[in-house]
Amino acid sequence: MRIGDAAAAVGTTPRALRFYEQRGLLPPPPRTRSGQRDYGPRELAVLRVIRELLALGLTVEDLRGVAGRLPLLAVHPAPRCGTAAADRGGPGVVGEAVVERRITALDAEIERLTRLRDGLRAGLSARHAGDRAQRSTAG
């Protein structure tokens, strides 16, 4: 399967696939005689895992550190993240430390966004209070 078809099959773009390869998330796929990338079921399975983990909020940098273990998820879908799954008894492929770092970063971002939202809300409330005061003195 050529890069465009592979990208479409996993819901992304050829540029993203090249990026994953450049960043070390995906080993270079075999090439055709003409030099084009040739994606097979194994590569597609790894690409699906990459896309799923990115959709969960992990970053490309998070995945770089565990790239060698990503093919394991294509073969054994669980556990994906963190500590052992109750039914498997082994560590998650992504690793608890990676997941904990990402959760910490997400918590910090949530706090930052909450402060931003509260500041905007306070600004709107002050503006509405000023508008009401102005209308009551004009009327």
Side-chain angles (χ1 to χ4, degrees), residues 71-97:
L72 296 174
L73 291 174
V75 177
H76 303 289
R80 291 216 186 298
C81 300
T83 59
D87 62 336
R88 301 293 294 233
V93 171
V94 173
E96 186 173 356

Side-chain angles (χ1 to χ4, degrees), residues 33-46:
R33 288 182 187 214
S34 64
Q36 295 180 327
R37 291 170 175 86
D38 189 19
Y39 294 88
R42 192 173 347 166
E43 290 85 12
L44 290 178
V46 173

Side-chain angles (χ1 to χ4, degrees), residues 49 53 58 62-63 65-66 69-70 73 79-82 91-99 101:
V49 166
L53 292 171
L58 294 173
D62 292 333
L63 298 182
V66 296
R69 296 189 309 236
L70 294 176
L73 291 174
R80 291 216 186 298
C81 300
V93 171
V94 173
E96 186 173 356
V98 171
V99 174
R101 277 194 310 269

